[in-house]
Amino acid sequence: MRFIHCPYCGQKLIKKEIGDEGLIPFCSECGIPLWDMFTTSIIAACVNQYDEIALLRQNYVSETKYVCVAGIMKIGESAEETVIREIKEEIGLDVKSLTYIKSYPYDKKEMLMLGYKATVDKADFKISGEVDSVRWFSLKDAPAMLREGSIAWQLVNEVIKG
């Protein structure tokens, strides 16, 4: 989110030089800088004991390509708690262990996505209403099921590299 008006008093912001940060939106009434904000979310490669990955089809995202489990962090929730909650909500699996992989800026949606490998046991899926289908794929075949260059594709390739 890019601030134009102060969320506290409503005054139109000016640009002010703030240290080595450069020109920052600033409220001269409240005397505070207002840095652009982004939403923090997670993206998880859910891998089972057979080196298979659970990939989802969400038709509102794509009717031809799959995606990884992803979701928005809630206030007061850690990234790890978000991964565990989202995997349980979206595909009904319990996380055994988590490994942080890396962060991915997603400029198109003004998000920062924190990427994880989540180890789960292979089990039947219990999908939520926001998931159209989910399947297990071998890790080596998974990149071809994802949109090349997407954050999910990047994450899965990082997991494969180990």
Side-chain angles (χ1 to χ4, degrees), residues 115-135:
Y116 286 85
K117 175 185 176 187
T119 304
V120 298
D121 283 332
K122 186 170 185 173
D124 290 334
F125 299 111
K126 296 178 189 107
I127 62 173
S128 76
E130 65 181 285
V131 175
D132 293 299
S133 65
V134 62
R135 285 184 45 202

Side-chain angles (χ1 to χ4, degrees), residues 40-105:
T40 308
S41 61
I42 62 87
I43 183 165
C46 300
V47 180
N48 68 28
Q49 67 271 35
Y50 305 108
D51 279 337
E52 295 173 319
I53 184 169
L55 296 179
L56 294 72
R57 176 75 52 76
Q58 293 175 300
N59 291 339
Y60 72 91
V61 176
S62 172
E63 293 186 13
T64 59
K65 294 293 183 180
Y66 286 81
V67 296
C68 290
V69 171
I72 305 297
M73 288 177 61
K74 294 180 178 179
I75 292 175
E77 188 175 56
S78 72
E80 293 77 14
E81 289 168 334
T82 304
V83 174
I84 292 165
R85 175 182 55 77
E86 287 289 345
I87 291 171
K88 187 69 170 178
E89 284 177 4
E90 290 189 7
I91 60 175
L93 299 180
D94 294 313
V95 174
K96 295 176 69 174
S97 66
L98 282 175
T99 304
Y100 175 73
I101 304 298
K102 68 181 274 188
S103 61
Y104 302 89

